[in-house]
């Protein structure tokens, strides 16, 4: 069970859905699914080289109350009081102890 005082970061879960207009143009529709409180912990940094540019990817572990609808195709958005808006792509969803009480989201920060 998670103590409420451990979840200090208000986050939002967003779903991106590929969509087409009436004329056939494709675009991505983004929908806010809900807001929760979470604990955000950096787990380490990884640097990768893409097109001869060094790009840092910081991995984070987010812990929050369980919600079965959360999927790895979704994003987490958080407005840090010091750093401003941050966006995390969910890489993996873990049901802590398989009890449906808490979940951990393994994320990659994208903005």
């Amino acid at each position: 069970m998670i103590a409420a005082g451990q979840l200090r970061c208000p986050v939002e879960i967003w779903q991106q859905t590929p969509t087409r207009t009436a004329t056939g143009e494709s675009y991505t529709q983004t929908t806010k699914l809900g807001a929760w409180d979470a604990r955000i912990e950096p787990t380490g940094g990884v640097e990768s080289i893409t097109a001869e540019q060094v790009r840092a990817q910081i991995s984070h572990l987010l812990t929050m109350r369980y919600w079965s609808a959360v999927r790895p195709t979704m994003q987490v958005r958080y407005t840090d009081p010091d750093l401003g808006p941050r966006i995390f792509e969910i890489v993996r969803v873990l049901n802590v102890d398989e009890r449906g009480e808490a979940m951990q989201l393994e994320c990659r920060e994208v903005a």
Side-chain angles (χ1 to χ4, degrees):
M1 186 159 192
I2 302 173
Q6 294 179 344
L7 307 177
R8 297 183 179 160
C9 300
V11 299
E12 299 173 341
I13 305 290
W14 289 75
Q15 172 72 52
Q16 293 186 320
T17 307
T19 310
R20 292 198 179 272
T21 64
T23 60
E25 283 187 61
S26 62
Y27 69 97
T28 302
Q29 180 177 349
T30 306
T31 307
K32 178 181 168 183
L33 301 179
W36 289 265
D37 291 324
R39 178 174 62 224
I40 301 175
E41 303 170 85
T43 60
V46 176
E47 288 186 351
S48 62
I49 299 176
T50 306
E52 298 183 19
Q53 294 180 353
V54 176
R55 191 176 103 198
Q57 294 181 335
I58 301 173
S59 297
H60 289 76
L61 183 66
L62 281 69
T63 304
M64 55 192 283
R65 301 209 185 282
Y66 184 77
W67 186 42
S68 62
V70 176
R71 300 283 179 260
T73 57
M74 298 177 179
Q75 291 183 339
V76 177
R77 296 184 184 186
Y78 169 61
T79 301
D80 187 297
D82 298 321
L83 302 174
R86 299 170 75 184
I87 299 174
F88 302 93
E89 288 181 344
I90 300 173
V91 175
R92 192 162 79 163
V93 179
L94 305 169
N95 181 355
V96 177
D97 297 328
E98 297 296 324
R99 298 183 68 189
E101 294 177 0
M103 65 181 175
Q104 292 183 326
L105 309 177
E106 293 181 353
C107 299
R108 173 176 47 247
E109 188 166 9
V110 294

